[in-house]
Amino acid sequence: MKRQNLPAVALAVVAAVVLLLSTKAIPSAAAAAVEHTFVVSQMNMTHLCKETLVTVVNGQLPGPVIEVTEGDSVAVHVVNKSPYNITIHWHGVKQRFNCWADGVPMITQCPILPNHNFTYRFDVAGQEGTLWWHSHTACLRGTLHGAFIIRPRDGAGSYPFPKPYREIPIVIGEWWEMDLVRVDNDFLDGFLDDEPIAATINGKLGDVYNCSGAVEDGYVLDVEPGKTYLLRVINAALFSEYYLKIAGHKFTVVAADANYVSPYTTDVIALSPGETVDALVVADAPPGRYYMVALANQSPKPDPQIPAFVTRATVEYSNDNSPGNSAKALSSSRGTGGGGGGPSGDVPVAPEMPDQHDTMTSFYFHGNLTSLRHARLPPVPARVDERLIITLGLGSVCRRGQSCKRSGSNESIIVATMNNVSFQLPTSTTPLLEAHYYNTSAMDALQQLPDRPPRVFDYTDRALIPWGPKEAQLEPTSRGSLARRFQHGSTVELVFQGTAVMQSDANPMHLHGHDMFVLAQGLGNYDEARDVARYNLVDPPVRNTVHVPRIGWVAVRFVTDNPGVWYMHCHFEFHLSMGMTAVFIVEDGPTMDTSLPPPPADFPTCGHDDNLARDEVHIQTKKSEVSRVEGE
Ligand SMILES: *[C@@H]1O[C@H](CO)[C@@H](O)[C@H](O)[C@H]1NC(C)=O
Ligand SMILES: *[C@@H]1O[C@H](CO)[C@@H](O)[C@H](O)[C@H]1NC(C)=O
Ligand SMILES: *[C@@H]1O[C@H](CO)[C@@H](O)[C@H](O)[C@H]1NC(C)=O
Ligand SMILES: *[C@@H]1O[C@H](CO)[C@@H](O)[C@H](O)[C@H]1NC(C)=O
Ligand SMILES: *[C@@H]1O[C@H](CO)[C@@H](O)[C@H](O)[C@H]1NC(C)=O
Ligand SMILES: *[C@@H]1O[C@H](CO)[C@@H](O)[C@H](O)[C@H]1NC(C)=O
Ligand SMILES: *[C@@H]1O[C@H](CO)[C@@H](O)[C@H](O)[C@H]1NC(C)=O
Ligand SMILES: *[C@@H]1O[C@H](CO)[C@@H](O)[C@H](O)[C@H]1NC(C)=O
Ligand SMILES: [Cu+2]
């Protein structure tokens, strides 16, 4: 795991090329600078008769929406007035040649300490649609998140679908009454019983929830008959995939993860934490009031169960003289059980939701997405340089020593793994990206992510759920700082294989800094001989988060054209805290403009300025390389 070294002659040539390129790269007149200040602080919020201290941005939950036009430069001044170390990650923003702004604590940066500031600066280029931002510290993203909307540079008229009348962010979240940092510590310790209290849409619990007769507010979307709305749906929840439906209406899905898809009409949207879906809704139902319901799904027993989380908002037609509308005030204080009513009744019409244990509706939803073929869509890479198969599952490590009681015993800690290793941060006080950039000895602490599962077994054997002799054999695992190095410009084919060890959860796998072509998905065990033939190499959807179905697999390809140290992890927060993570290190390319530039001048330090001095540093090489080029 060593940096490639560039001979001085090559550098001189490179410098000349850089000069040439940089005079060409005149910024477009249309590109603007978008600036925000995010004050992170704590605030008391009361839901269900209980006051809870939450950490939020600018006193808002969800946090502020960032709206940009493709090509814009963004500066977000983060002022940390919370007691926690904070970073903000710009989920799905590719951060080309700008891994420094990716916002992963101790992977890409030292966190912003309490009472410290840091300004994230990045360009948004070559992407359009809905992304989001969230903190990447402990479980705090449960309340530190917001939408990140990228509009086409040529205006809404250039959408590859009819121009919507209005655009509405729909952020699905969860309300927790626990301290989220404690929740994270519990997950780290293999204690998995913490649960949210409720699901939310745009921060509101909705009228399924009440306490002492007081019904919780729900989000209300006012619509005008006949108009088209673009819903920008984000799953910001920590825990669950959600189904979203609106009674009496259909969705036309037009984008996912800020990549256009061929219009897909459906009455249900499925999205896992980390995923986004843009969908058009036409207000073409009889004027009235309709529930928009988000329902969490989960694997059926014998998987461990959590309560069913559901929340609902209301779609209300304006200019609506039906009795249902005038009875609005009445109905909201009356309880809303069941679906009855109808557009003219007291109670909004409720959609019929999939069963909460139905995971096939998600499988089909994801299976029905294909890329919209348009000018910007990059070709699907046909040649593959590296092939990896990564199993995703649970295991356990002993609290003390090498052997211990497992199968749920407190002598062991349940952890989450990739290819049978559970991620842990290196103990170094230097973030990995800096260690990589300056080539310090901290890199020696990394453990290579194997290209294949170390042992082949029937990964999706349901007899492994939750305990038993077969499971007990597969449970022991280990911890390590898992990393995989890729040469610049490689095409990687990666198969994520879900396993059924202890449980059969799906896994929303998120890769930072790159989008992935989703070639195929399947249930059961991936079989190369059989499944390669099913790859969609024509119009696969392109995503930053791929939903690996319960007891199934997904095959993706991506090109490692963005140098840096990129987090790759499950977006279920408990799996992330438990170690279902690795880092992908993408090497510099052969030229300066295919290499990672130096860190920003005001980059946070880990509370002391001599981080680098602590490790055995090979910094001299790098510094002299840089100055030699600049001096050219
Ligand atoms: C990185 O450090 C190692 C020693 O740990 C050294 O052998 C190697 O040449 C260094 N690479 C560069 C590019 O400086
Ligand atoms: C939250 O409420 C508690 C008790 O009601 C109070 O002690 C605390 O100061 C409040 N915190 C904030 C940030 O308002
Ligand atoms: C952080 O930003 C705030 C608001 O802009 C400013 O008042 C404060 O002085 C800054 N603090 C530091 C440590 O830079
Ligand atoms: C309060 O919630 C309970 C349980 O969900 C429900 O049975 C009841 O009808 C609700 N009451 C009101 C006033 O909404
Ligand atoms: C698309 O959705 C339909 C309806 O749910 C389903 O029957 C079909 O199998 C799905 N197609 C794929 C490729 O998943
Ligand atoms: C498990 O062990 C830890 C440390 O040994 C202890 O703090 C914790 O209370 C135990 N939990 C249970 C459920 O016994
Ligand atoms: C997982 O790793 C552990 C510890 O390194 C090893 O004992 C075990 O056999 C491995 N299990 C599998 C299924 O690869
Ligand atoms: C915050 O970050 C600093 C610097 O990395 C570290 O020393 C400290 O332990 C962190 N604090 C917490 C609560 O994680
Ligand atoms: Cu997972």
Side-chain angles (χ1 to χ4, degrees), residues 207-208 210 213 215 333-336:
D207 64 6
V208 256
N210 68 69
V215 177
S333 62
R334 260 201 201 173
T336 47

Side-chain angles (χ1 to χ4, degrees), residues 166-195:
R166 278 178 65 203
E167 303 182 5
I168 317 284
I170 299 289
V171 182
I172 299 171
E174 287 157 353
W175 178 247
W176 288 74
E177 285 180 349
M178 292 183 65
D179 175 64
L180 290 172
V181 172
R182 208 193 109 198
V183 171
D184 187 68
N185 286 332
D186 287 347
F187 290 154
L188 278 172
D189 200 37
F191 176 78
L192 308 178
D193 291 347
D194 297 343
E195 284 157 6

